[in-house]
Amino acid sequence: MRVLLTGGAGFIGQHVLRVLLSRDHEVRVLDSLRKDVHSDAQWTAPADVELCVGDVRDASAIDRALSGVEAVLHLAAKVGLGVAVGDMPDYASSNDAGTAELLAGMARGGVQRLTLASSMVVYGEGIGYCAQHGAVTPGPRIETALAAGEFESPCPACRRPLAATLVGENTPLDPRNAYATSKVAQEFYASNWSRVTGGSVAALRYHNVYGPGMPRDTPYAGVAAICTSAVRLGEAPKVFEDGGQRRDFVHVRDVALATVLACEKHTSGIRTFNVGSGTPRTVGEMAGALANALNGPSPVVTGTYRLGDVRHITADSSRLREELAWTPGVSFEDGMTELASLS
């Protein structure tokens, strides 16, 4: 199949590209190679891949890249937490307007299949469980409570701490920072496009992705990258809050395979898929595993916090397993060992 991969020079994009080529797809990459997004702006495509250097916000670049294409895998985005109000215009422009331009181009060119890289951040705090009130949506965390070391999200009815639960794809969307809001917008734009054109959309809500090529020492690096970088410098990794934040760490090769399977198998309608390992871990456990694998100092729990962070968000990925026959192939232990072995 002839496919366009946007953001193919990025961390996840390069792994998706490898899977596409291994499965004999003909790939064209569209990437802006923006320095604030890529640590290596000199990236070159493999010999059998056409690279179009351009921005998804540029309609003429979109039209050139879409020529002769049968399906699109849209990974191009500005990523990160996006806690500052000043970040909002760039997220809205890069992610929202960029996706809208891409979809408009697909409509012009008659391209009917879209695989969209979304994120678990669309869920905000997800769903918590209260012993008295059952499943509830956690309210916003209050800075005075965080400053007092009260990190668990409270029940909005009785203010008791909530137990964490897995989120399914039908969990209400609740974006709590600029990046999250832009990912929700991308999903809605894609749904609008699908309903008008009859095209198919598979939106993959990636959880905490890690692995080879993961960016380090940037404002948008994931928690695994930050911890790894600290330990390699001989420093104890610093863990926010009390280290009890639950996440689903999923290896980038597993994410790449899920993305390509969605492109190949989902051909009608709109469907969202959580992409997670299915085994929640705390941030403290992840930092400890990396420190141990690197023979470095143990993590330090700082008690500090960021208002844009959520407390717990972990996935129920059963839909992806059942409908696309996907299973994660890299265990947490093997993934942490591999991450520690990388230069």
Side-chain angles (χ1 to χ4, degrees), residues 2-63:
R2 294 187 301 278
V3 303
L4 173 65
L5 172 62
T6 75
F11 163 45
I12 299 174
Q14 291 188 48
H15 287 271
V16 171
L17 176 58
R18 293 186 189 101
V19 175
L20 285 167
L21 294 175
S22 73
R23 296 169 76 91
D24 297 324
H25 294 291
E26 183 180 335
V27 187
R28 179 181 295 144
V29 167
L30 174 65
D31 202 296
S32 66
L33 301 181
R34 282 172 53 173
K35 291 182 179 179
D36 63 325
V37 175
H38 297 287
S39 59
D40 180 12
Q42 303 302 315
W43 181 81
T44 56
D48 49 354
V49 172
E50 179 185 356
L51 171 62
C52 297
V53 178
D55 197 300
V56 288
R57 294 169 290 186
D58 181 345
S60 60
I62 289 291
D63 287 341

Side-chain angles (χ1 to χ4, degrees), residues 23 47 62-63 74-76 84 100 139 149 164 180 235 280-281 298 305 336:
R23 296 169 76 91
I62 289 291
D63 287 341
H74 181 35
L75 275 67
E235 302 170 358
R281 307 276 179 172
S298 297
Y305 56 87
M336 290 296 114

Side-chain angles (χ1 to χ4, degrees), residues 128-242:
Y129 184 81
C130 174
Q132 181 177 352
H133 297 98
V136 297
T137 300
R141 294 202 290 170
I142 308 301
E143 185 166 13
T144 53
L146 295 173
E150 299 170 5
F151 300 121
E152 293 296 341
S153 298
C155 173
C158 66
R159 308 306 295 174
R160 294 174 181 168
L162 295 172
T165 61
L166 297 180
V167 295
E169 288 86 354
N170 294 328
T171 301
L173 304 183
D174 186 19
R176 299 196 176 187
N177 56 59
Y179 174 60
T181 299
S182 74
K183 300 310 286 185
V184 171
Q186 285 184 309
E187 289 196 22
F188 282 155
Y189 277 123
S191 296
N192 300 156
W193 165 84
S194 174
R195 293 186 179 97
V196 171
T197 66
S200 65
V201 178
L204 301 181
R205 293 170 177 167
Y206 300 153
H207 281 248
N208 288 77
V209 186
Y210 73 95
M214 181 173 57
R216 302 172 189 164
D217 303 321
T218 75
Y220 310 113
V223 63
I226 294 170
C227 289
T228 303
S229 181
V231 175
R232 285 204 175 96
L233 292 172
E235 302 170 358
K238 294 181 174 60
V239 177
F240 286 164
E241 302 183 17
D242 59 0

Side-chain angles (χ1 to χ4, degrees), residues 52-94:
C52 297
V53 178
D55 197 300
V56 288
R57 294 169 290 186
D58 181 345
S60 60
I62 289 291
D63 287 341
R64 290 192 299 272
L66 286 171
S67 177
V69 162
E70 299 168 85
V72 174
L73 300 91
H74 181 35
L75 275 67
K78 179 180 175 68
V79 301
L81 186 63
V83 295
V85 173
D87 291 335
M88 290 182 178
D90 198 11
Y91 282 104
S93 174
S94 301

